[in-house]
Amino acid sequence: MGAAYFYHLTRAPLEHTLPVLLGKARGAGWRVAVRGVEAARMAYLDDRLWHGPETDFMAHGLAGGSHDADQPILLTTSELGNDPACLMAVDGAPVSPDEVRKMERVCILFDGNDPEAVQVARGQWKHLTSEGCSAQYWSEAAGHWEKKAESN
């Protein structure tokens, strides 16, 4: 049974934090799906991953291609076409309790400088924990990541 990890981004934007978390997930040997809500945003993140430093390159693909099932990291707005062990939800993308239970880890990344994004994340926390999912809340407000809350 997995857990949902909430990442409250206040210092570094998503485009900087996402590659770090993807690297950790891949280092654990996990296939990853990154779920967003807008195709244009996912295309932007895809572009950022392609144009990052060569030493940090991670093989990935944007959903809709003929090799979705083979991608170690798949960026999508819908179904998880690569049988991931880890789901990273961005921009308020939905996550179900069943997905948390099925995955090794679900990461919910949200912009702490956007009051609407914070409200969506709070709603996700309440929903997932009320359904019995384990969750952790991580904040970078102090300049480094700290676990601020946990629900088992």
Side-chain angles (χ1 to χ4, degrees):
M1 180 179 206
Y5 282 47
F6 288 74
Y7 291 95
H8 188 162
L9 309 178
T10 54
R11 293 182 172 260
L14 176 65
E15 3 350 307
H16 292 237
T17 304
L18 182 61
V20 172
L21 292 176
L22 288 171
K24 290 182 183 293
R26 290 297 298 145
W30 298 339
R31 295 172 74 80
V32 183
V34 179
R35 179 189 287 153
V37 294
E38 294 179 4
R41 174 75 157 157
M42 300 314 290
Y44 168 77
L45 292 173
D46 174 57
D47 185 64
R48 292 295 304 243
L49 289 172
W50 277 112
H51 293 102
E54 276 188 44
T55 56
D56 296 337
F57 178 76
M58 288 173 276
H60 70 282
L62 192 57
S66 58
H67 300 287
D68 286 1
D70 300 324
Q71 297 296 337
I73 299 170
L74 183 67
L75 286 74
T76 183
T77 57
S78 59
E79 296 303 312
L80 309 178
N82 65 335
D83 192 28
C86 178
L87 168 62
M88 295 192 185
V90 301
D91 301 332
V95 174
S96 74
D98 286 340
E99 288 173 322
V100 174
R101 291 181 193 106
K102 177 184 172 188
M103 304 283 170
E104 292 290 330
R105 180 158 310 153
V106 170
C107 301
I108 298 172
L109 292 78
F110 62 99
D111 183 351
N113 299 307
D114 177 350
E116 186 176 322
V118 172
Q119 285 305 109
V120 168
R122 284 183 180 148
Q124 289 175 308
W125 174 278
K126 287 178 185 176
H127 174 67
L128 294 173
T129 58
S130 73
E131 293 292 321
C133 296
S134 295
Q136 294 183 9
Y137 165 69
W138 291 80
S139 172
E140 66 173 346
H144 59 279
W145 288 104
E146 293 180 312
K147 182 168 49 169
K148 297 290 192 171
E150 187 168 10
S151 176
N152 293 315

